[in-house]
Amino acid sequence: MSAGVKDPLRRTAIGVSVTYAEKTSSGWQGKQEVFFDPESYACLGQIRDDGEIVSARAAWGVVSRPGGRP
């Protein structure tokens, strides 16, 4: 865990990383980092060191029914 890192959108975050030294069941091997908001602990996104997966959440909300909009 590292505090004060930047997520894919350059926001300050808490980063949690794991390195898979051996191939996983899906065949992937390497480092993955998941980013969390330092105040709410909401997931902000993730990145893999091979560049194949980069995701970021710019916004999110809670609704009371499926299909509802925040």
Side-chain angles (χ1 to χ4, degrees), residues 1-6 13-20 31-37 41 45-47:
M1 189 205 65
S2 301
V5 298
K6 299 293 182 181
I14 297 170
V16 178
S17 63
V18 62
T19 301
Y20 299 97
K31 180 181 175 183
Q32 179 178 20
E33 190 164 14
V34 181
F35 303 96
F36 298 93
D37 182 285
Y41 302 110
Q46 66 177 322
I47 191 167

Side-chain angles (χ1 to χ4, degrees), residues 5-67:
V5 298
K6 299 293 182 181
D7 78 345
L9 296 179
R10 307 294 304 153
R11 298 172 290 194
T12 300
I14 297 170
V16 178
S17 63
V18 62
T19 301
Y20 299 97
E22 297 181 15
K23 287 188 176 186
T24 64
S25 59
S26 65
W28 187 75
Q29 183 177 4
K31 180 181 175 183
Q32 179 178 20
E33 190 164 14
V34 181
F35 303 96
F36 298 93
D37 182 285
E39 293 180 19
S40 69
Y41 302 110
C43 181
L44 298 175
Q46 66 177 322
I47 191 167
R48 284 191 347 193
D49 64 357
D50 62 3
E52 288 189 24
I53 292 182
V54 176
S55 65
R57 295 176 189 234
W60 64 277
V62 177
V63 296
S64 59
R65 60 181 164 64

